[in-house]
């Protein structure tokens, strides 16, 4: 309905115009109309533009449910990786083989940690998040079932570890895709924070459980049976409550979305089955409300969608200038985090003479730090986004989402990174020399808490940036981050022992701290100064290539 103002009133004749391009466009598309109100006075009737199409139709309650589901789904990879370390001596004894042969199972797990996101990340951008979750959790449960039943076959152990890793390791990439599907950029931090907390709970609990097994029993089978139960419960939870969210399939998830039967949660299917057709029609009409005319994507068959999936698509992400430095940030601090986790058993055994159970317990402060860092950085990311928007006079659209093509998202995500780099560098240097000087172990645990929280802040922030700059394929971008992260971690672990043999722990962590801090500061500087420019160039080149391809096909 129009808003009337009398033309004779000079104060009311001033129309407030926003400086944003979208509002100027709306002002041009919906001009004012001059009408007669019947009292010989001209009245200015302002036509209102239609409401913005909402970015998502998921309610806050549904997003909270998604946070819970995503958190528990992503727990599989860190839980499975860390619970295995204390079991290595038991496995060597049980399979009557060498330490090198058992360590090969670790190598295979890491290899498939990198391969799994490369396969299932792009696949989830094409065929959907829900179906990929169900497939990977099935593989995960079957792998753990085989490990629990395998008693003596070493070759089967290798194959089943690969299957276990393949099913567990893509969850993070797919989860980042779900967050990008249902959250506008200004709100992604508050959803990524809790997901990260749940993710790192696995890294915290895993060593404790594994250490308890190694200390209290001479058997490992029940650990794999526990993981079978975890996989089955997660599979059931995803099947019951997770609807399809991929925007390429269901747009903003509104009532007009053309969901296929496997894209609906089983709970929703059961609820619809209980309703008659007339009741369903009324309910959908009511729930839909004024959601705007969201564009519903045209649908292809599931086989056509799979045909266009390129598992190597995520590799291209690594070679764009605007993403290379973001990948470096999250990868380099994952190296730091993985290195600290790898040296902890030797430190507490050789220096402080802890047993296996006590060593497992020393991972708790670091895990708590990671969880705390994940929660805090989610809040900080949203605050930084709002601060940068305010500084440049940007009006945040929390309904339809901001067009990041014209927003300096790189500045928003990188804000405050220098301060965190200073803390991280100081903690790593202090950690190395504190261990060398044999200070009280409580100091070591406190430093591990701080280091865990700093590392989580860095790779959560820059993972979010990667998802932001690839809005059409967020899981593919997250998969690229996983490949870089695991590849750099593998290289770091390979160089760990030779460097420790050549240097003492104090100098090793001093070099590690200065390397991560100085290279990180340079990467942040480049991201802030050049990131948006390079991103704009990449997007323009992609659009020009698409136009040339379209013209050549005519």
């Amino acid at each position: 309905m129009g808003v009337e103002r009398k033309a004779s009133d000079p104060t009311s004749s001033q129309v407030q115009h926003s400086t944003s391009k979208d509002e100027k466009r709306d002002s041009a598309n919906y001009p004012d109309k001059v009408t007669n109100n019947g009292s010989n006075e001209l009245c200015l009737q302002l036509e209102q533009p239609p409401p913005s199409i909402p970015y998502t139709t998921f309610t806050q309650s549904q997003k909270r449910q998604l946070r819970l589901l995503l958190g528990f789904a992503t727990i599989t990879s860190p839980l499975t990786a860390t619970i295995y370390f204390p079991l290595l001596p038991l496995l060597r004894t049980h399979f009557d083989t060498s330490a090198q042969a058992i360590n090969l199972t670790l190598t295979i797990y890491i290899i498939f940690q990198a391969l799994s996101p490369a396969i299932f990340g792009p696949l989830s951008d094409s065929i959907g998040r829900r179906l990929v979750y169900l497939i990977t959790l099935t593989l995960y449960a079957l792998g753990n079932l085989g490990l629990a039943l395998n008693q003596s076959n070493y070759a089967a152990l290798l194959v089943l570890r690969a299957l276990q890793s393949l099913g567990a390791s893509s969850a993070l990439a797919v989860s980042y895709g779900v967050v990008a599907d249902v959250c506008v950029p200004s709100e992604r931090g508050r959803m990524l924070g809790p997901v990260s907390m749940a993710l790192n709970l696995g890294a915290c609990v895993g060593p404790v459980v594994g250490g308890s097994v190694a200390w209290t029993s001479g058997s490992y089978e029940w650990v794999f049976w526990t993981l079978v139960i975890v996989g089955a419960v997660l599979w059931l939870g995803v099947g019951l409550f997770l609807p399809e969210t991929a925007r390429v399939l269901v747009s903003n998830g509104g009532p007009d979305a053309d969901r296929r039967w496997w894209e609906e949660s089983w709970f929703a299917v059961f609820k619809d089955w209980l309703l008659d057709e007339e009741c369903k029609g009324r309910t959908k009409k009511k729930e839909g409300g004024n959601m705007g005319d969201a564009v519903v994507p045209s649908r292809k068959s599931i086989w056509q969608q799979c045909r266009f999936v390129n598992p190597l698509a995520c590799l291209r992400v690594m070679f764009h200038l605007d993403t290379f430095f973001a990948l470096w940030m999250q990868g380099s601090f994952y190296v730091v985090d993985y290195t600290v986790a790898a040296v902890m058993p030797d430190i507490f055994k050789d220096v402080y003479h802890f047993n296996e159970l006590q060593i497992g317990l020393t991972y708790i402060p670091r895990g708590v730090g990671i969880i705390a860092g994940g929660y805090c950085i989610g809040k900080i990311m949203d605050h930084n986004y709002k601060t940068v928007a305010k500084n440049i006079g940007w009006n945040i659209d929390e309904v339809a989402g901001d067009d990041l093509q014209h927003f300096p998202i790189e500045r928003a995500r990188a804000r405050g990174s220098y301060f965190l780099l200073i803390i991280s560098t100081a903690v790593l240097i202090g950690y190395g020399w504190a261990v060398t000087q044999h200070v009280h172990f409580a100091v070591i645990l406190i430093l591990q808490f701080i280091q865990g929280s700093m590392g989580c802040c860095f790779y959560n922030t820059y993972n979010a940036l990667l998802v932001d700059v690839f809005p059409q394929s967020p899981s593919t971008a997250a998969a690229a981050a996983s490949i870089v992260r695991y590849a750099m971690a593998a290289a770091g672990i390979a160089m760990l022992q030779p460097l420790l043999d050549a240097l003492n722990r104090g100098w090793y962590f001093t070099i590690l701290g200065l390397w991560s801090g100085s290279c990180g500061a340079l990467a942040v500087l480049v991201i802030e100064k050049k990131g948006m420019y390079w991103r704009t160039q990449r997007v323009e080149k992609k659009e020009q290539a698409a136009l040339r391809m379209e013209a050549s096909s005519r």
Side-chain angles (χ1 to χ4, degrees):
M1 183 176 180
V3 178
E4 292 189 350
R5 293 196 309 265
K6 293 187 177 181
S8 58
D9 184 356
T11 60
S12 62
S13 63
Q14 301 297 321
V15 180
Q16 297 295 324
H17 295 285
S18 170
T19 58
S20 71
K21 294 181 179 179
D22 290 338
E23 290 182 347
K24 286 181 178 179
R25 180 199 62 205
D26 291 338
S27 170
N29 289 341
Y30 303 95
D32 297 341
K33 292 181 181 179
V34 179
T35 60
N36 193 304
N37 67 353
S39 59
N40 295 326
E41 286 186 286
L42 292 179
C43 292
L44 192 65
Q45 194 173 46
L46 195 65
E47 287 288 324
Q48 298 295 324
S52 298
I53 298 173
Y55 184 83
T56 181
T57 57
F58 281 83
T59 65
Q60 290 301 320
S61 174
Q62 290 172 319
K63 289 179 184 178
R64 285 192 293 269
Q65 178 179 297
L66 283 177
R67 276 199 295 265
L68 185 64
L69 277 174
L70 297 180
F72 282 115
T74 53
I75 204 175
T76 54
S77 183
L79 175 66
T80 307
T82 57
I83 203 173
Y84 192 78
F85 292 134
L87 302 180
L88 296 179
L90 295 177
L91 292 169
R92 284 198 298 267
T93 302
H94 184 86
F95 286 91
D96 191 23
T97 188
S98 66
Q100 183 178 0
I102 292 299
N103 287 343
L104 183 58
T105 65
L106 297 177
T107 304
I108 287 177
Y109 191 90
I110 293 175
I111 290 172
F112 279 87
Q113 272 187 312
L115 290 178
S116 180
I119 297 170
F120 292 110
L123 192 64
S124 75
D125 285 332
S126 179
I127 69 171
R129 322 293 183 202
R130 173 181 166 82
L131 188 56
V132 166
Y133 262 134
L134 292 174
I135 292 171
T136 55
L137 288 172
T138 299
L139 296 176
Y140 177 71
L142 291 175
N144 285 308
L145 179 62
L147 288 167
L149 295 175
N150 182 34
Q151 294 296 319
S152 59
N153 193 321
Y154 174 73
L157 177 66
L158 295 178
V159 173
L160 291 169
R161 277 288 283 175
L163 184 63
Q164 183 191 47
S165 180
L166 189 68
S169 302
S170 65
L172 182 61
V174 181
S175 294
Y176 270 92
V178 175
V179 172
D181 292 335
V182 303
C183 290
V184 295
S186 62
E187 296 180 349
R188 284 175 187 167
R190 73 184 67 172
M191 189 153 183
L192 287 174
V195 170
S196 174
M197 290 170 59
L199 166 70
N200 291 292
L201 182 63
C204 179
V205 172
V208 178
V209 175
S212 300
V213 172
W215 177 252
T216 60
S217 73
S219 177
Y220 63 88
E221 289 92 343
W222 77 270
V223 173
F224 293 122
W225 282 115
T226 302
L227 294 178
V228 171
I229 296 172
V230 169
V233 170
L234 288 174
W235 184 87
L236 188 62
V238 168
L240 281 173
F241 301 112
L242 180 67
E244 183 54 64
T245 65
R247 300 181 68 82
V248 70
L249 301 179
V250 298
S251 188
N252 65 355
D256 293 330
D258 180 21
R259 296 183 188 272
R260 292 164 175 167
W261 63 268
W262 62 82
E263 294 169 350
E264 292 278 10
S265 66
W266 298 334
F267 181 78
V269 171
F270 179 71
K271 184 175 67 173
D272 287 347
W273 180 74
L274 293 177
L275 299 173
D276 58 48
E277 292 300 322
E278 182 181 356
C279 182
K280 281 197 294 182
R282 289 199 303 265
T283 303
K284 287 189 175 182
K285 183 176 180 180
K286 181 178 178 181
E287 290 177 350
N290 188 7
M291 291 298 181
D293 298 324
V295 177
V296 180
S298 58
R299 304 303 303 269
K300 300 176 182 177
S301 72
I302 190 71
W303 303 113
Q304 288 176 316
Q305 291 169 315
C306 291
R307 193 180 304 154
F308 291 101
V309 172
N310 180 6
L312 301 180
C314 54
L315 297 180
R316 290 197 293 267
V317 175
M318 304 176 193
F319 299 101
H320 296 302
L321 287 174
D322 62 311
T323 55
F324 175 83
F325 292 97
L327 288 166
W328 173 267
M329 285 297 294
Q330 60 90 31
S332 62
F333 281 94
Y334 191 78
V335 171
V336 171
D337 199 52
Y338 213 86
T339 299
V340 172
V343 301
M344 282 172 58
D346 288 339
I347 288 174
F348 285 101
K349 189 175 183 63
D350 298 341
V351 178
Y352 299 101
H353 309 294
F354 282 14
N355 60 40
E356 286 83 359
L357 177 60
Q358 291 170 324
I359 290 173
L361 294 174
T362 61
Y363 283 84
I364 292 179
R366 173 179 166 273
V368 173
I370 292 173
I371 293 171
Y375 176 79
C376 293
I377 198 61
K379 302 288 186 181
I380 292 171
M381 279 195 288
D382 287 348
H383 172 75
N384 288 344
Y385 189 101
K386 291 177 173 62
T387 300
V388 170
K390 181 179 179 181
N391 290 342
I392 65 173
W394 181 280
N395 294 321
I396 297 176
D397 189 344
E398 295 186 352
V399 177
D402 294 321
D403 180 8
L404 296 184
Q405 187 174 353
H406 306 292
F407 182 81
I409 188 63
E410 292 82 2
R411 282 174 50 193
R413 298 305 187 210
R415 189 173 182 270
S417 291
Y418 295 116
F419 178 69
L420 297 179
L421 285 168
I422 293 172
I423 296 176
S424 176
T425 303
V427 166
L428 284 172
I429 294 173
Y431 183 81
W433 292 109
V435 170
T436 303
Q437 298 299 318
H438 296 190
V439 301
H440 194 276
F441 70 86
V443 176
I444 308 302
L445 297 179
I446 292 171
L447 291 173
Q448 287 175 181
F449 171 88
I450 300 173
Q451 182 277 323
S453 63
M454 291 297 102
C456 184
C457 288
F458 283 117
Y459 50 75
N460 276 9
T461 297
Y462 290 95
N463 264 337
L465 176 58
L466 288 167
V467 170
D468 290 330
V469 299
F470 285 92
Q472 303 302 321
S473 53
S475 287
T476 301
S482 295
I483 293 174
V484 170
R485 186 165 62 243
Y486 293 130
M488 291 182 69
I493 294 300
M495 294 186 293
L496 173 61
Q497 197 58 48
L499 289 174
L500 285 175
D501 292 340
L503 307 166
N504 63 27
R505 293 187 178 103
W507 283 113
Y508 171 78
F509 280 102
T510 298
I511 293 172
L512 185 65
L514 294 175
W515 168 77
S516 60
S518 58
C519 293
L522 178 62
V524 171
L525 179 65
V526 173
I527 288 170
E528 288 182 329
K529 299 297 183 183
K530 290 288 189 178
M532 185 175 180
Y533 171 73
W534 285 334
R535 170 165 57 93
T536 303
Q537 280 191 323
R538 171 174 60 82
V539 172
E540 288 177 351
K541 287 180 181 178
K542 184 177 179 180
E543 291 175 349
Q544 291 170 1
L547 290 174
R548 287 195 299 269
M549 184 176 295
E550 183 181 353
S552 63
S553 63
R554 290 177 180 174

